[in-house]
Amino acid sequence: MNAPDQQFSPAPPLPSALLDALRATFAERCSTALAVREQHGRDESVFDVPPPQAVVFAEREAEVAHVVALCAQHRVPVIPYGAGSSLEGHLLAVQGGISLDVSRMNRILRIDAQDLTVTVQPGVTRKALNEALKHEGLFFPIDPGADASLGGMAATRASGTNAVRYGTMRENVLGLRFVNAAGEIVRTGSRARKSSAGYDLTRLLVGSEGTLGVITELTVKVHPLPEAVSAAVCFFPSIDAAVRTAMQVIQIGVPIARCELLDANAIKAVNAHDKLGLKEAPMLLMEFHGSEAGVAEQAAVVQEVAADLGGEAFEWATTPEARTRLWAARHHAYLSGLQMRPGCRAVTTDTCVPISRLAENINASIAEVEAAGLPYFIVGHVGDGNFHLAYLLDPAQPQELATAERLSAQMVARAIALEGTCTGEHGIGLHKQGFLLDETGAEAVALMRAVKQALDPLGILNPGKVFAR
């Protein structure tokens, strides 16, 4: 694993011929201004990396292909950039190069309501897409919390709060267009719901973190807006009781749409941030989709399960305004948590385990962080065995970072031992490269490296990510 305090050396200067060619094509959309470069050289991770040497704002697929082809000609790294909301250092220019910003490629190209598909450019954000879809009675369910771009969500195989019912980006991307390392435009998949035609290149690109190609277009599944939606919160005497409730709900087959955990620390933070007045105890935030009768039946079953495990103070939110208020608190949990310790940085680790082992993983992780004395909070998509633990650090105290990394390593090692994964949705990036080897084994990583070498022989596409040096 690359440690966050690893030093990254400044890259050699960009070839003047490359810069001249980029400026000739893009004019003011090619920037070497420090403020612009620094904006594209930061994410939510704790890595200290020099910014990219230039930023190019692409507005068309042909422009993406032109930039990649020029970078290949001069053997200069190119790092795709969307909304900049990654957590594991995905967008950092660890070997210098060009940050290729595709956020201006934000057109919804085609809505096929009858086929329940939509085709978009990579800079379209999930909120913008859902705003356009609601007039068709449809929605796109993948909700990682941040208003991420769909290109970035595909590149990191995002999931989020709705994954327990609707799946992740892996299940919802039908086809792609991307620019390969030679600057060529490649099309994968189609609008058909299934195919047995050749290798599944779409799934190869989904989750590749920008290391195999730059996504320029996506066709994704969308879903009808449910007839009825109801959200509920329930408070528990312990994290264990809350997690076991979620486990039983899934195991008995309730088709719950969302099932989110917030620990007492997270509740305290969102209360302060959003002025909510929620009870400061472990809480499940749940949502049910379906017919009026189906939603009522699901909710009644869940309430009974929760009560048996000490759940109390069930509160229902059936109006859009009330549901939005509750879910805004969940989506604000990360920023709210940072305000618990002004000036802090967060090391955020996510793991995913079989749901029967989730309580064991969370309880052990809590015991370790409380013994270490670090401030923390927990949120989790517990309906599918995934949770996030954020350690809050004083940047002026390097020993706190060392402690957080030790705790994170213990938590990840335990998840792997429980037959889970080192990351349910954050991705590998810079932070979990060693853990990828632990999880999959040397043979699998060697095969992944061979794929990378075959598709990017010059190593220009987001170098330094996924594989440890």
Side-chain angles (χ1 to χ4, degrees):
M1 179 180 64
N2 285 2
D5 60 354
Q6 179 176 342
Q7 298 300 308
F8 295 92
S9 302
L14 291 179
S16 57
L18 172 61
L19 268 180
D20 290 344
L22 291 172
R23 287 169 173 154
T25 301
F26 294 94
E28 73 280 358
R29 289 190 286 129
C30 173
S31 178
T32 56
L34 180 60
V36 176
R37 294 190 294 117
E38 286 183 339
Q39 176 196 355
H40 289 73
R42 291 193 301 262
D43 65 1
E44 294 298 323
S45 71
V46 294
F47 291 97
D48 184 14
V49 178
Q53 292 152 299
V55 178
V56 174
F57 295 87
E59 296 178 353
R60 295 181 296 278
E61 182 180 68
E63 292 181 342
V64 174
H66 181 59
V67 172
V68 176
L70 282 173
C71 287
Q73 178 184 338
H74 294 279
R75 301 200 173 196
V76 167
V78 57
I79 304 100
Y81 185 97
S85 56
S86 66
L87 292 164
E88 301 289 2
H90 298 94
L91 58 84
L92 302 182
V94 295
Q95 296 180 24
I98 306 295
S99 177
L100 180 52
D101 188 321
V102 298
S103 62
R104 298 183 186 183
M105 297 175 63
N106 57 5
R107 291 173 54 220
I108 298 172
L109 302 174
R110 179 176 176 179
I111 296 176
D112 293 285
Q114 289 184 318
D115 294 321
L116 298 177
T117 66
V118 60
T119 300
V120 301
Q121 292 182 313
V124 172
T125 65
R126 64 174 185 87
K127 288 183 180 179
L129 178 57
N130 277 321
E131 183 64 28
L133 288 174
K134 71 179 183 181
H135 305 294
E136 304 284 344
L138 304 171
F139 81 114
F140 179 67
I142 310 303
D143 178 5
D147 191 20
S149 63
L150 266 72
M153 289 168 63
T156 55
R157 203 185 297 136
S159 53
T161 59
N162 277 318
V164 64
R165 177 160 183 170
Y166 296 99
T168 72
M169 287 299 283
R170 181 183 64 187
E171 290 79 33
N172 284 276
V173 177
L174 293 170
L176 297 168
R177 288 173 67 93
F178 72 95
V179 174
N180 68 13
E184 302 163 335
I185 297 168
V186 181
R187 179 174 62 85
T188 78
S190 68
R191 290 199 305 114
R193 288 296 175 120
K194 63 180 182 179
S195 172
S196 58
Y199 294 165
D200 193 343
L201 297 180
T202 302
R203 299 301 175 275
L204 184 62
L205 265 290
V206 173
S208 63
E209 303 185 14
T211 63
L212 300 180
V214 183
I215 295 171
T216 55
E217 185 178 301
L218 309 89
T219 296
V220 298
K221 300 177 186 177
V222 293
H223 299 259
L225 284 168
E227 173 191 335
V229 178
S230 179
V233 295
C234 183
F235 298 90
F236 292 86
S238 67
I239 287 278
D240 188 71
V243 172
R244 292 190 183 281
T245 297
M247 288 167 51
Q248 289 193 24
V249 166
I250 300 303
Q251 289 165 349
I252 64 177
V254 176
I256 192 168
R258 308 193 204 191
C259 188
E260 296 289 298
L261 169 73
L262 286 81
D263 76 339
N265 293 334
I267 297 294
K268 182 177 181 179
V270 297
N271 275 343
H273 185 273
D274 290 353
K275 309 296 189 291
L276 288 181
L278 296 169
K279 181 179 179 181
E280 292 178 2
M283 181 187 84
L284 287 183
L285 172 56
M286 297 162 282
E287 192 167 275
F288 309 92
H289 295 177
S291 66
E292 293 282 357
V295 163
E297 182 181 358
Q298 293 170 37
V301 171
V302 171
Q303 188 163 356
E304 182 178 347
V305 171
D308 287 344
L309 288 161
E312 58 183 11
F314 240 88
E315 179 182 336
W316 295 96
T318 54
T319 67
E321 295 78 13
R323 293 198 310 273
T324 297
R325 183 167 173 261
L326 288 178
W327 283 107
R330 167 62 184 91
H331 288 149
H332 296 163
Y334 179 74
L335 294 178
S336 302
L338 292 179
Q339 293 180 10
M340 294 169 61
R341 193 177 188 188
C344 74
R345 296 292 301 272
V347 169
T348 306
T349 295
D350 86 306
T351 62
C352 189
V353 296
I355 194 167
S356 63
R357 312 304 297 271
L358 181 60
E360 179 180 351
N361 196 19
I362 293 180
N363 289 335
S365 300
I366 290 173
E368 289 168 353
V369 67
E370 290 189 343
L374 275 185
Y376 72 96
F377 65 92
I378 288 175
V379 295
H381 315 310
V382 290
D384 55 15
N386 185 203
F387 82 102
H388 310 259
L389 199 159
Y391 308 97
L392 303 179
L393 317 176
D394 181 349
Q397 302 294 328
Q399 70 275 15
E400 292 193 2
L401 177 57
T403 299
E405 286 299 304
R406 174 178 59 81
L407 295 172
S408 174
Q410 292 171 192
M411 173 177 153
V412 171
R414 179 167 48 253
I416 293 172
L418 294 173
E419 299 181 277
T421 177
C422 64
T423 174
E425 58 187 14
H426 288 184
I428 297 297
L430 289 173
H431 200 203
K432 292 190 171 179
Q433 294 175 352
F435 295 135
L436 177 65
L437 188 64
D438 295 338
E439 178 177 327
T440 65
E443 296 80 8
V445 171
L447 185 57
M448 294 180 205
R449 286 184 180 273
V451 171
K452 167 70 169 173
Q453 177 64 27
L455 298 187
D456 181 19
L458 299 179
I460 65 165
L461 292 176
N462 205 11
K465 313 301 163 52
V466 181
F467 307 117
R469 284 184 281 181

